[in-house]
Amino acid sequence: MIAAARILAAAVLVAAAPALAEPVALVLPAGRLGDAVLALGRQTGTNIAVADASLWGRRVPALRGRYTAREALERLARAANAEVQPAGPTGWRLVARRPEPPRPRVVAVPRKAPPPLPPAPVVEVPQPDIVVTASKRDLTLRDFAGQVSRIDGAELSLGGAGGTDRLVARVASVSSTHLGAGRNKLFIRGIADSSFTGPTQSTVGQYFGDLRLSYNAPDPDLRLTDLAAVEVLEGPQGTLYGAGSLGGIIRLVPNAPDLDTVSGSIAFGGSATWHGAPGADASAVLNVPIEEGRLGLRLVADVASEGGYIDKPLLDRKDVNRTRISGGRAALRFDAGGGWTVDLIGLGQRTRGEDSQYADRDGPPLTRAARTEEGFDADYAQGQVVVAGPIGDLKLSSSTGISRQVLEERYDATLPDQAPRLFVQHNHTTMIAHETRLWRPMADGWGGMVGVSFTHNTTRLSRELGTPEDPQPVTGVENRVDELSLFGEGSVELVPGLTATAGARYTRSELDGAGEDVAPATTETLAYARAEMTAGRVETAFLPSASVIAAVLPRTSIYVRYQEGFRPGGLAVEADFVRRFRNDRASSIEIGARHGSRGSDPFALSASLSYTRWRDIQADFIDATGLPSTANIGDGRIWSLSAAASVRLAPGLRLDTGVSYNDSRIDEPARDFPYSISTPTFDYAIGLPATPVSAGQRALAVIARMNQVPNIARFGGRAGLDYRRHLIGDLSLTANGWVRYVGPSRLGVGPELGARQGDYLDSGLTVRIGTPGIGATLSVTNIADVEGNRFALGTPFTTGRDQITPLRPRTVRLGLDASF
């Protein structure tokens, strides 16, 4: 019975509702019983415990309508073959239904009745907790040592589907370059490398389910429609996720097909932007069981047209930067029996930005004095096959996928008093990824996981420069990497309430590449130098991790964590030559504390303090020709403090706050980094670093020692209010309002990228009135109509002198949604 008390539990604890027996409007998702119980607890204010781990994954249909908490729970219990038992005055417990014993045969009455059976012992159910699926082994929040943010999918889609901007608005530690949909770089916890979309791998790993979305391509900015949740893990995650997770990971958790129930939803709306053009959006979800209980299909579709708000008076054009987005996904699930499932998933998105979204710093508001049409096109597609199921007490998941991402960016490259010039950059990325892992969930005081992953990625960066009608090819580069990793992690409960975890990952990366459209070598020395620079090479990395977490109170824990992360090297273009940059590596030590969980407790708090040492930082700079390039800029250190709190102020009213503080410095600049385009350290005659370092460079290096890591504000903060109230009948009101401050930061590394950005306040409000089946929404973003400067880069050819990227002006959206 002691072992049973340690079985994984899932529940939600909120303040008791004034009248638990009154029916309320409920919307419970189809899928796993554990997810439906979590939603029921949040919506009814009850304490529901699932004491049997075998019940967690049982399938239940969606439930919509007005029910009491007990009625809804009994319906779920019947579907899952479970029983409801009281657990205190405001809660219940779900246990697996036991088969009825066979009826005894009639025999002669014994002369003496047997003694009565002893009463069944009362099993003390552990305090319920949230499961962190991004841990890759179903760790509960109680056992996970790290800073975690989990945003419910319904919150992100309230008021119409959005993209990554919705996540940035809700999590204070996540930031973006705001280049535009489909071309942004994301950063977490002060670990940022550069402003451009180049050959470097992102510092943040992005995943759809168990597979990464990209390797060294920008954020595809997928629409966040029909997601169960989005999970954000802060800090290096090298052991679990490998290369490209220096700052952390963002994981999109989709809703799986429901094999038993036909359901669907649709949402659409129209928007009006101050000083700009109108917009519209629509999304739809359809779930169809093809063979009940065995095979099901789930379809998602999105389309949006975001009105422009930037004017180009020299071209006599207004509101030039309209962006059109269309995409969707399909998931087919087959239940193979015995808990095994096979999922086929396909997703894709097409984004078209008609022109640039940046403006002149000193010109009229929201205008750009450019004589060329700019903009971008971004396409993304991925296919996955996922096989998962139990092997005794173990669980196995194997995921294989292929992704293709194409990005074309157009920049104004016109020189002063010269004819218009256009710079075009094409980024083509193809990735094949696989991961298989076997794990044992934490039970009986221990749990663990082992896995293997393989990634093949090819990125081809080609560039053109010239007249808008006929730009000519200039030097480009292709990078190829084959990455094989073995990883594992294990946890042991040393004493009740004290859990230690250790893990490691070994990665072997084979790198090669080549230049494209490179001018012919004029000497044998140059030809040899180029061949040496692009020759294949092998890099290895060993990434250990360790943590200890202690439950000092039933809902309070403290932890210490050590983790490492890395990114492999590659090839970059500098002027008309292809040069090599090295891998970089980050190691982080973190202490943190956590009390309760958001949405489950009247008060919840999480906070962490971390120190990160980042060596051989890969970052972008402006080369001697005025184009972006990549190099190792040196070593840095980052102090980061992040905290989030959630407080129930009154029934139905909750306050969420978050703050992030980062002190990031480049304290050891690389000796061969070209800090100034006027004093290059590269000898283009032979393609090798020039020596000795000039006095001017040494002076610039001293300046660089005082520079912050780019694109990271020292301080950022967010506050939001969530309000829910039952009105009459099935009618209810839901409102969410927020305000976010982003502190000042600098654009990049070196004098040409010293522009100041940030230091602005953003805000938003969404209100929905309706029933679970149909509703109307009103949303307002940038309520104060702040111009601000989200990102001080439009085109690198005039970087740091006259550009800002303003916030989208105040925008009002009216929408309708319906579901069945």
Side-chain angles (χ1 to χ4, degrees):
M1 306 308 291
I2 295 176
R6 293 177 177 171
I7 290 177
L8 176 66
V12 62
L13 179 61
V14 292
L20 293 176
E22 294 184 3
V24 295
L26 298 176
V27 180
L28 306 182
R32 299 187 305 174
L33 173 65
D35 295 331
V37 165
L38 288 172
L40 177 61
R42 284 194 297 266
Q43 296 177 38
T44 60
T46 53
N47 177 17
I48 307 166
V50 180
D52 192 334
S54 65
L55 288 176
W56 175 266
R58 292 187 183 179
R59 312 299 297 180
V60 295
L63 184 63
R64 296 181 176 87
R66 289 188 60 79
Y67 302 94
T68 66
R70 179 62 186 254
E71 290 172 344
L73 189 59
E74 287 180 342
R75 287 174 175 262
L76 296 176
R78 284 196 296 270
N81 194 27
E83 295 179 351
V84 180
Q85 297 179 352
T90 62
W92 294 278
R93 178 187 307 134
L94 284 180
V95 297
R97 189 185 300 277
R98 300 183 182 277
E100 294 186 5
R103 182 171 298 179
R105 296 170 54 192
V106 178
V107 296
V109 178
R111 286 176 291 180
K112 183 177 181 181
L117 295 175
V122 177
V123 178
E124 183 181 354
V125 179
Q127 185 66 35
D129 213 336
I130 291 175
V131 175
V132 183
T133 58
S135 67
K136 292 196 174 184
R137 52 193 186 95
D138 298 338
L139 279 178
T140 64
L141 194 61
R142 173 184 178 273
D143 295 321
F144 186 80
Q147 189 79 335
V148 183
S149 297
R150 188 181 190 276
I151 312 299
D152 190 272
E155 297 181 26
L156 293 168
S157 61
L158 180 65
T164 310
D165 58 313
R166 294 286 182 89
L167 184 63
V168 172
R170 280 191 168 268
V171 183
S173 60
V174 179
S175 57
S176 168
T177 55
H178 298 288
L179 274 164
R183 57 198 290 232
N184 291 319
K185 299 185 79 169
L186 301 179
F187 309 118
I188 298 177
R189 191 185 275 183
I191 299 181
D193 56 351
S194 57
S195 308
F196 309 103
T197 301
T200 55
Q201 191 176 9
S202 171
T203 62
V204 173
Q206 291 181 262
Y207 289 77
F208 186 87
D210 285 336
L211 279 184
R212 66 169 75 221
L213 286 169
S214 60
Y215 190 83
N216 59 345
D219 168 28
D221 197 26
L222 300 178
R223 302 292 91 178
L224 304 180
T225 304
D226 193 41
L227 294 180
V230 176
E231 294 179 328
V232 179
L233 302 187
E234 297 185 15
Q237 300 292 331
T239 296
L240 294 178
Y241 289 93
S245 59
L246 298 181
I249 67 105
I250 296 173
R251 182 172 180 264
L252 310 185
V253 185
N255 286 316
D258 180 0
L259 307 185
D260 302 306
T261 307
V262 176
S263 62
S265 64
I266 186 171
F268 58 91
S271 60
T273 298
W274 264 237
H275 329 293
D281 65 89
S283 63
V285 180
L286 178 63
N287 186 94
V288 181
I290 299 174
E291 180 182 347
E292 188 172 345
R294 295 280 289 175
L295 188 66
L297 176 67
R298 195 174 189 92
L299 303 172
V300 181
D302 290 285
V303 63
S305 178
E306 300 175 348
Y309 48 88
I310 299 296
D311 298 337
K312 284 190 171 180
L314 295 183
L315 297 178
D316 195 24
R317 296 181 60 212
K318 296 177 66 65
D319 306 327
V320 299
N321 62 312
R322 178 175 293 276
T323 301
R324 292 181 170 86
I325 302 170
S326 59
R329 65 178 185 267
L332 182 68
R333 166 162 287 191
F334 172 64
D335 187 335
W340 285 86
T341 58
V342 179
D343 292 312
L344 303 179
I345 303 171
L347 56 100
Q349 185 165 291
R350 175 187 175 97
T351 305
R352 295 291 180 267
E354 294 184 358
D355 214 315
S356 63
Q357 64 173 356
Y358 57 96
D360 293 337
R361 184 183 296 270
D362 300 321
L366 304 178
T367 63
R368 171 71 176 148
R371 291 182 289 160
T372 61
E373 295 183 5
E374 300 167 277
F376 62 94
D377 301 329
D379 296 308
Y380 182 85
Q382 184 181 79
Q384 293 187 20
V385 180
V386 183
V387 179
I391 303 177
D393 292 336
L394 306 178
K395 294 184 179 182
L396 183 139
S397 177
S398 182
S399 306
T400 304
I402 182 170
S403 306
R404 179 171 174 80
Q405 190 167 357
V406 179
L407 174 64
E408 178 183 295
E409 301 172 281
R410 299 176 290 277
Y411 294 101
D412 179 19
T414 305
L415 299 174
D417 302 323
Q418 299 292 319
R421 286 197 317 167
L422 189 68
F423 175 71
V424 184
Q425 179 168 278
H426 308 268
N427 195 322
H428 297 254
T429 300
T430 301
M431 180 187 70
I432 299 173
H434 172 83
E435 179 185 279
T436 295
R437 71 182 192 278
L438 184 69
W439 74 98
R440 182 184 191 270
M442 195 74 181
D444 300 325
W446 70 278
M449 175 263 296
V450 294
V452 59
S453 69
F454 173 78
T455 302
H456 169 79
N457 190 85
T458 300
T459 299
R460 182 165 54 88
L461 186 69
S462 58
R463 311 192 294 182
E464 300 171 354
L465 179 64
T467 64
E469 297 78 17
D470 187 28
Q472 298 299 307
V474 294
T475 306
V477 67
E478 181 178 80
N479 278 279
R480 295 181 293 270
V481 58
D482 288 312
E483 184 180 290
L484 178 65
S485 296
L486 301 174
F487 59 95
E489 187 176 77
S491 298
V492 176
E493 190 173 33
L494 303 176
V495 296
L498 181 65
T499 301
T501 301
R505 188 184 194 99
Y506 175 80
T507 297
R508 185 180 188 273
S509 302
E510 295 184 2
L511 311 169
D512 65 359
E516 294 194 350
D517 299 312
V518 180
T522 56
T523 65
E524 290 186 5
T525 302
L526 178 57
Y528 176 78
R530 287 179 174 177
E532 283 293 304
M533 195 68 70
T534 59
R537 59 205 181 279
V538 174
E539 295 179 355
T540 60
F542 179 75
L543 306 173
S545 64
S547 66
V548 176
I549 185 168
V552 294
L553 293 173
R555 300 293 283 168
T556 304
S557 58
I558 59 175
Y559 65 86
V560 179
R561 171 179 176 266
Y562 175 81
Q563 181 64 276
E564 294 186 7
F566 87 108
R567 294 184 296 175
L571 301 175
V573 179
E574 186 179 344
D576 60 353
F577 194 83
V578 175
R579 75 193 304 268
R580 185 182 296 180
F581 58 90
R582 302 181 299 276
N583 61 354
D584 61 354
R585 188 180 184 116
S587 56
S588 178
I589 182 73
E590 172 185 353
I591 58 173
R594 181 167 52 243
H595 171 77
S597 59
R598 177 183 177 272
S600 301
D601 295 282
F603 173 74
L605 173 68
S606 63
S608 69
L609 174 67
S610 66
Y611 172 79
T612 301
R613 189 65 184 167
W614 194 0
R615 301 186 184 279
D616 290 326
I617 300 172
Q618 298 173 8
D620 294 335
F621 66 99
I622 300 298
D623 69 13
T625 65
L627 294 174
S629 186
T630 304
N632 298 95
I633 65 173
D635 299 339
R637 56 103 181 128
I638 301 165
W639 284 97
S640 182
L641 172 66
S642 61
S646 180
V647 185
R648 185 185 301 116
L649 302 177
L653 180 63
R654 179 173 290 273
L655 170 66
D656 292 311
T657 62
V659 295
S660 177
Y661 175 82
N662 301 286
D663 181 13
S664 53
R665 299 283 178 178
I666 303 168
D667 52 15
E668 291 293 336
R671 307 188 82 183
D672 58 348
F673 173 62
Y675 294 98
S676 170
I677 62 173
S678 60
T679 57
T681 60
F682 208 80
D683 188 337
Y684 296 103
I686 61 172
L688 297 174
T691 54
V693 176
S694 69
Q697 287 178 290
R698 285 195 297 270
L700 288 169
V702 173
I703 297 174
R705 288 177 182 271
M706 299 183 292
N707 287 345
Q708 289 180 292
V709 170
N711 291 307
I712 293 299
R714 177 160 296 204
F715 176 80
R718 178 195 182 274
L721 284 173
D722 285 297
Y723 180 66
R724 291 171 173 81
R725 180 174 180 176
H726 172 251
L727 299 177
I728 185 172
D730 288 344
L731 198 66
S732 61
L733 180 145
T734 301
N736 169 256
W738 56 270
V739 61
R740 175 184 171 101
Y741 172 72
V742 178
S745 63
R746 59 173 291 146
L747 174 62
V749 177
E752 287 296 305
L753 298 178
R756 181 183 171 94
Q757 60 190 20
D759 194 20
Y760 63 86
L761 195 70
D762 197 6
S763 56
L765 173 67
T766 300
V767 178
R768 182 186 186 273
I769 297 179
T771 68
I774 188 169
T777 57
L778 170 67
S779 302
V780 185
T781 56
N782 193 3
I783 299 173
D785 199 26
V786 173
E787 182 178 24
N789 179 17
R790 295 185 295 177
F791 189 49
L793 174 69
T795 168
F797 295 91
T798 54
T799 297
R801 291 192 284 275
D802 65 349
Q803 299 165 25
I804 64 170
T805 302
L807 281 72
R808 171 174 287 274
R810 181 189 298 118
T811 299
V812 177
R813 177 189 181 274
L814 289 173
L816 294 174
D817 62 81
S819 62
F820 65 91

